[in-house]
Amino acid sequence: MKSFKTLLAGLALAALVLPGAAEAAYKAEYKLSTVLGKPFPWGIGGDRWAELVKEKTGGRITVKMYPGTSLVNGDQTKEFTALRQGVIDMAVGSTINWSPQVKELNLFSLPFLMPDYAAIDALTQGPVGKQLFDLLATKDVVPLAWGENGFRELSNSKRPVRTPDDLKGLKVRVVGSPLFLDTFTALGANPTQMSWADAQPALSTGAVDGQENPLSVFVAAKLPTLAQKNLTLWGYVADPLIFVVNKEVWESWSKEDQEGVRAAALQAAQEQIALARKGIAGGDDSVLKDIQAQGVEVVKLTPEQQKAFQTATRPVFDKWAKTIGPDLVKTAEDSIAKRK
């Protein structure tokens, strides 16, 4: 009996002094999903988060990144559902890709809502961002930080696009969102829905004429080599990213490790946003110069030209504002109006 009591006491002591002993339920490795891997800023941000998590939790939490939404066979629109179900432990996800399950995230895809980077920040770092995080927290996930994929610009293989008429008949690859289908249909284009993995060969063969993506993607994916020789800077929508953890996974971690993961997400997100804007924002146009050096014709819309696109897509904006929620849209518009 004495030896048994001694054994129990020893085990209790071990649980107190051995690092990680109290977290016996921790997984050996956690799965982090992203759409894009390195060298895209999105993938670099995910990789950095994994690195910082290990550092800030003293190695108790090890994360492996799975780019290409490979955990859901490349179907970007299924990522959020898989995250809720626990198939995915963590993600750096796109507001666009998750909008089919969380309609309020369509806010960022309302055409021409956000005129500049300060407007994105006014939304993600203000009352809109908090409201959306509160909403996501009711859906089996814990949102931690806002990242950024960037403003989505238009490219194609056929002709420069300066007016809505120039888009007529163009086959444009879009993400799996009904709002994007509505927007490009309103402009007279022929939107074609497909994953990014399928989009690149489709551009190469001419199965689709064009696509819309941030400039960081345009460069890293080497789209000029896929016949994308016409680029229009119209900044019609932007694509914030969200660093999240599955709620059950989050609750399995100690408070100390939760704070470590949160701090890692905030730091990785900040670094990722800076990288996504490098050479594009703040008076630095080095990325554009590199693109032009590859023989791409870059069209910068005048305010009047942009207004024509805005007018053509206003019925889409009004229709989707009702779906997203008029109060949320109003809060967003007010936040943008007050931006610094």
PDB file of all heavy atoms in Angstrom, residues 171-173 190 192 194 198-199 201-210:
ATOM      1  N   LYS A 171     -14.151  35.873 -71.014  1.00  0.00           N
ATOM      2  CA  LYS A 171     -14.285  34.772 -70.056  1.00  0.00           C
ATOM      3  C   LYS A 171     -13.307  35.020 -68.906  1.00  0.00           C
ATOM      4  O   LYS A 171     -12.091  34.949 -69.103  1.00  0.00           O
ATOM      5  CB  LYS A 171     -13.986  33.434 -70.730  1.00  0.00           C
ATOM      6  CG  LYS A 171     -15.016  33.018 -71.763  1.00  0.00           C
ATOM      7  CD  LYS A 171     -14.617  31.739 -72.464  1.00  0.00           C
ATOM      8  CE  LYS A 171     -13.479  31.987 -73.442  1.00  0.00           C
ATOM      9  NZ  LYS A 171     -13.129  30.777 -74.252  1.00  0.00           N
ATOM     10  N   VAL A 172     -13.859  35.334 -67.737  1.00  0.00           N
ATOM     11  CA  VAL A 172     -13.027  35.708 -66.594  1.00  0.00           C
ATOM     12  C   VAL A 172     -13.183  34.684 -65.482  1.00  0.00           C
ATOM     13  O   VAL A 172     -14.303  34.407 -65.031  1.00  0.00           O
ATOM     14  CB  VAL A 172     -13.409  37.114 -66.063  1.00  0.00           C
ATOM     15  CG1 VAL A 172     -12.530  37.492 -64.877  1.00  0.00           C
ATOM     16  CG2 VAL A 172     -13.293  38.146 -67.164  1.00  0.00           C
ATOM     17  N   ARG A 173     -12.070  34.125 -65.048  1.00  0.00           N
ATOM     18  CA  ARG A 173     -12.108  33.193 -63.924  1.00  0.00           C
ATOM     19  C   ARG A 173     -12.413  33.965 -62.660  1.00  0.00           C
ATOM     20  O   ARG A 173     -11.795  34.995 -62.372  1.00  0.00           O
ATOM     21  CB  ARG A 173     -10.762  32.480 -63.774  1.00  0.00           C
ATOM     22  CG  ARG A 173     -10.688  31.557 -62.548  1.00  0.00           C
ATOM     23  CD  ARG A 173     -10.084  32.240 -61.338  1.00  0.00           C
ATOM     24  NE  ARG A 173     -10.174  31.399 -60.135  1.00  0.00           N
ATOM     25  CZ  ARG A 173      -9.739  31.750 -58.935  1.00  0.00           C
ATOM     26  NH1 ARG A 173      -9.184  32.930 -58.745  1.00  0.00           N
ATOM     27  NH2 ARG A 173      -9.890  30.945 -57.904  1.00  0.00           N
ATOM     28  N   ASN A 190     -18.236  37.102 -69.054  1.00  0.00           N
ATOM     29  CA  ASN A 190     -18.692  35.719 -68.900  1.00  0.00           C
ATOM     30  C   ASN A 190     -17.903  35.101 -67.745  1.00  0.00           C
ATOM     31  O   ASN A 190     -16.857  34.494 -67.971  1.00  0.00           O
ATOM     32  CB  ASN A 190     -18.464  34.943 -70.206  1.00  0.00           C
ATOM     33  CG  ASN A 190     -18.880  33.478 -70.090  1.00  0.00           C
ATOM     34  OD1 ASN A 190     -19.570  33.096 -69.150  1.00  0.00           O
ATOM     35  ND2 ASN A 190     -18.447  32.676 -71.041  1.00  0.00           N
ATOM     36  N   THR A 192     -16.440  32.686 -65.044  1.00  0.00           N
ATOM     37  CA  THR A 192     -16.274  31.240 -64.978  1.00  0.00           C
ATOM     38  C   THR A 192     -15.709  30.876 -63.609  1.00  0.00           C
ATOM     39  O   THR A 192     -14.604  31.301 -63.265  1.00  0.00           O
ATOM     40  CB  THR A 192     -15.329  30.745 -66.091  1.00  0.00           C
ATOM     41  OG1 THR A 192     -15.826  31.189 -67.358  1.00  0.00           O
ATOM     42  CG2 THR A 192     -15.241  29.229 -66.088  1.00  0.00           C
ATOM     43  N   MET A 194     -14.005  28.717 -60.819  1.00  0.00           N
ATOM     44  CA  MET A 194     -13.089  27.575 -60.679  1.00  0.00           C
ATOM     45  C   MET A 194     -12.071  27.863 -59.575  1.00  0.00           C
ATOM     46  O   MET A 194     -11.847  29.013 -59.208  1.00  0.00           O
ATOM     47  CB  MET A 194     -12.375  27.274 -61.998  1.00  0.00           C
ATOM     48  CG  MET A 194     -11.494  28.376 -62.535  1.00  0.00           C
ATOM     49  SD  MET A 194     -10.614  27.892 -64.063  1.00  0.00           S
ATOM     50  CE  MET A 194     -11.955  27.714 -65.219  1.00  0.00           C
ATOM     51  N   ASP A 198      -7.151  25.106 -60.686  1.00  0.00           N
ATOM     52  CA  ASP A 198      -7.641  24.879 -62.055  1.00  0.00           C
ATOM     53  C   ASP A 198      -7.473  26.113 -62.937  1.00  0.00           C
ATOM     54  O   ASP A 198      -7.428  26.011 -64.170  1.00  0.00           O
ATOM     55  CB  ASP A 198      -9.127  24.490 -62.032  1.00  0.00           C
ATOM     56  CG  ASP A 198      -9.362  23.132 -61.386  1.00  0.00           C
ATOM     57  OD1 ASP A 198      -8.439  22.296 -61.424  1.00  0.00           O
ATOM     58  OD2 ASP A 198     -10.462  22.908 -60.850  1.00  0.00           O
ATOM     59  N   ALA A 199      -7.393  27.279 -62.304  1.00  0.00           N
ATOM     60  CA  ALA A 199      -7.358  28.524 -63.072  1.00  0.00           C
ATOM     61  C   ALA A 199      -6.076  28.674 -63.889  1.00  0.00           C
ATOM     62  O   ALA A 199      -6.112  29.128 -65.040  1.00  0.00           O
ATOM     63  CB  ALA A 199      -7.503  29.712 -62.129  1.00  0.00           C
ATOM     64  N   PRO A 201      -3.882  26.449 -65.352  1.00  0.00           N
ATOM     65  CA  PRO A 201      -3.869  25.767 -66.659  1.00  0.00           C
ATOM     66  C   PRO A 201      -4.928  26.299 -67.614  1.00  0.00           C
ATOM     67  O   PRO A 201      -4.712  26.327 -68.824  1.00  0.00           O
ATOM     68  CB  PRO A 201      -4.120  24.291 -66.303  1.00  0.00           C
ATOM     69  CG  PRO A 201      -4.591  24.272 -64.898  1.00  0.00           C
ATOM     70  CD  PRO A 201      -4.050  25.488 -64.249  1.00  0.00           C
ATOM     71  N   ALA A 202      -6.061  26.753 -67.062  1.00  0.00           N
ATOM     72  CA  ALA A 202      -7.117  27.312 -67.921  1.00  0.00           C
ATOM     73  C   ALA A 202      -6.654  28.597 -68.595  1.00  0.00           C
ATOM     74  O   ALA A 202      -6.963  28.857 -69.764  1.00  0.00           O
ATOM     75  CB  ALA A 202      -8.377  27.566 -67.099  1.00  0.00           C
ATOM     76  N   LEU A 203      -5.901  29.417 -67.887  1.00  0.00           N
ATOM     77  CA  LEU A 203      -5.329  30.631 -68.470  1.00  0.00           C
ATOM     78  C   LEU A 203      -4.286  30.274 -69.520  1.00  0.00           C
ATOM     79  O   LEU A 203      -4.192  30.909 -70.579  1.00  0.00           O
ATOM     80  CB  LEU A 203      -4.699  31.500 -67.380  1.00  0.00           C
ATOM     81  CG  LEU A 203      -5.657  32.176 -66.395  1.00  0.00           C
ATOM     82  CD1 LEU A 203      -4.883  32.734 -65.207  1.00  0.00           C
ATOM     83  CD2 LEU A 203      -6.461  33.285 -67.081  1.00  0.00           C
ATOM     84  N   SER A 204      -3.504  29.258 -69.218  1.00  0.00           N
ATOM     85  CA  SER A 204      -2.432  28.844 -70.127  1.00  0.00           C
ATOM     86  C   SER A 204      -2.968  28.360 -71.467  1.00  0.00           C
ATOM     87  O   SER A 204      -2.410  28.662 -72.529  1.00  0.00           O
ATOM     88  CB  SER A 204      -1.605  27.742 -69.459  1.00  0.00           C
ATOM     89  OG  SER A 204      -0.582  27.293 -70.310  1.00  0.00           O
ATOM     90  N   THR A 205      -4.071  27.619 -71.431  1.00  0.00           N
ATOM     91  CA  THR A 205      -4.636  27.056 -72.665  1.00  0.00           C
ATOM     92  C   THR A 205      -5.605  27.999 -73.366  1.00  0.00           C
ATOM     93  O   THR A 205      -6.041  27.727 -74.487  1.00  0.00           O
ATOM     94  CB  THR A 205      -5.380  25.746 -72.360  1.00  0.00           C
ATOM     95  OG1 THR A 205      -6.462  26.020 -71.449  1.00  0.00           O
ATOM     96  CG2 THR A 205      -4.449  24.711 -71.741  1.00  0.00           C
ATOM     97  N   GLY A 206      -5.988  29.096 -72.682  1.00  0.00           N
ATOM     98  CA  GLY A 206      -6.959  30.014 -73.265  1.00  0.00           C
ATOM     99  C   GLY A 206      -8.394  29.603 -73.020  1.00  0.00           C
ATOM    100  O   GLY A 206      -9.320  30.175 -73.609  1.00  0.00           O
ATOM    101  N   ALA A 207      -8.593  28.613 -72.141  1.00  0.00           N
ATOM    102  CA  ALA A 207      -9.967  28.213 -71.796  1.00  0.00           C
ATOM    103  C   ALA A 207     -10.702  29.373 -71.124  1.00  0.00           C
ATOM    104  O   ALA A 207     -11.926  29.488 -71.241  1.00  0.00           O
ATOM    105  CB  ALA A 207      -9.948  26.991 -70.882  1.00  0.00           C
ATOM    106  N   VAL A 208      -9.951  30.209 -70.409  1.00  0.00           N
ATOM    107  CA  VAL A 208     -10.496  31.476 -69.908  1.00  0.00           C
ATOM    108  C   VAL A 208      -9.552  32.589 -70.362  1.00  0.00           C
ATOM    109  O   VAL A 208      -8.358  32.365 -70.572  1.00  0.00           O
ATOM    110  CB  VAL A 208     -10.655  31.490 -68.368  1.00  0.00           C
ATOM    111  CG1 VAL A 208     -11.727  30.521 -67.923  1.00  0.00           C
ATOM    112  CG2 VAL A 208      -9.340  31.207 -67.671  1.00  0.00           C
ATOM    113  N   ASP A 209     -10.120  33.783 -70.522  1.00  0.00           N
ATOM    114  CA  ASP A 209      -9.334  34.911 -71.027  1.00  0.00           C
ATOM    115  C   ASP A 209      -8.622  35.683 -69.928  1.00  0.00           C
ATOM    116  O   ASP A 209      -7.548  36.242 -70.160  1.00  0.00           O
ATOM    117  CB  ASP A 209     -10.253  35.893 -71.766  1.00  0.00           C
ATOM    118  CG  ASP A 209     -10.996  35.241 -72.925  1.00  0.00           C
ATOM    119  OD1 ASP A 209     -10.358  34.500 -73.690  1.00  0.00           O
ATOM    120  OD2 ASP A 209     -12.221  35.474 -73.035  1.00  0.00           O
ATOM    121  N   GLY A 210      -9.256  35.747 -68.751  1.00  0.00           N
ATOM    122  CA  GLY A 210      -8.702  36.597 -67.717  1.00  0.00           C
ATOM    123  C   GLY A 210      -9.007  36.133 -66.315  1.00  0.00           C
ATOM    124  O   GLY A 210      -9.639  35.086 -66.105  1.00  0.00           O
TER     125      GLY A 210
END
